[in-house]
Amino acid sequence: MSEFFDYPRALLNRENRAEYSQIPPSHLGFLPGCQTTNLSSKLAQKLDDFAQAAAANRNCKITVNLDRDGTRQVFTGRRYWQTSIFPSRKCGKSIVCEGQNELLFAAQCEVDIGVKEYASQAILFETRVGSKWTKYHCDFCRLRADGAIEIIEVKPDASHLDRPGYREKLEAVGEVCAELGWMFSPVFGVDLQRRTFHNFHVNWAHRHRFYLIPDWLSLAVDRLADACGGHSTVQDLKAICSGLEQARALLCALICRGNVHLDLSQPISLNAPMALIGGYNHGL
C-alpha cells in the first residue's frame, strides 16, 4: 500500500497500529456534506437568544462576547497575556488560546467539518453554587453543523477537574447548559497530544488551510467532482496536480474548506476513498 503522507515509523509499526488507530478522538465527530463558512452572525445570534432566555433563571446569568479578546483576558501564571494566536480561516478572525492544548483544540475545530464556527473565551457563566455565586469562563464554544451549541472545557487530563470546589462549579454550568439544550464537554490535552493518525492528519491539514488554490486547479477539481459523482480516491486528486507536494496541500486545503471527507483515523493511501463535496469555496 502506497502511503500518501510520510508517516513516522511508530505510527506505521504493525504492533502499534491497532493501538493508535483505535483511539477515538474526543468530541471530534466528522459529518460528510457539511460546508464551512463564516457564520459569526449566526453564532452570535444563537448565543444572544439563549442568554436572554437564561435571564429568567434567578440562579444563572450568561454574558456573551464574541470579540477577539472574549469575556476575559487569556492568562497563564500571575501575569495576564495572550499565550497563543490561531488565525482561523473558518471563522475569519484570530482565536486567542491559553497554552498548547487550546491551540491544538483550535486546530481540531478548524479541520472538523462538523463544526461551523467556534470561539474562545466567549461566554461568562455566573451560577449560584449553594449560597455563593461563582464565575466560569468557558474555554471554547462551537456551533455545530446540526445547529447545536457545544461548550468545551480544555484540561491537560481528567485529574484537573477534581480540584476542591471546581467540580461543583462545572456541575452547575452543566445543569444550565442542559436546560438550554447545549452540550457541555471536557476535552483533554493527553488526547490532543496523543500519537494518532487523526492528530497527525489534523496537524497537516490545518497548516495548509490558507493554501490559495490556483484557478486552473480549482477548475480541475470541479471537473473531477462532476466526473466521479462525488465519490473519488486520493489517487484521482493527485493525478490532477503537478506533483505530490501540491497534491498534499490541495487535499489538506479541501479538508479545511469542507469539500473533502475521508477517514482521518487511518493512514491515507493513494487508493483511499473520499467524498468530494460540491459548493466549492477554493479561494481565500
Side-chain angles (χ1 to χ4, degrees), residues 45-57:
Q45 176 82 42
K46 271 182 166 287
L47 293 179
D48 285 338
D49 290 345
F50 280 116
Q52 292 177 19
N57 188 336

Side-chain angles (χ1 to χ4, degrees), residues 224-266:
L224 175 61
D226 291 340
C228 69
H231 300 282
S232 186
T233 66
V234 175
Q235 175 65 59
D236 295 332
L237 198 67
K238 179 176 179 292
I240 64 175
C241 297
S242 59
L244 179 59
E245 291 303 315
Q246 185 179 63
R248 288 172 173 171
L250 176 63
L251 177 65
C252 292
L254 291 178
I255 290 174
C256 290
R257 286 158 171 76
N259 299 124
V260 162
H261 176 261
L262 76 168
D263 186 2
L264 299 184
S265 67
Q266 299 294 328

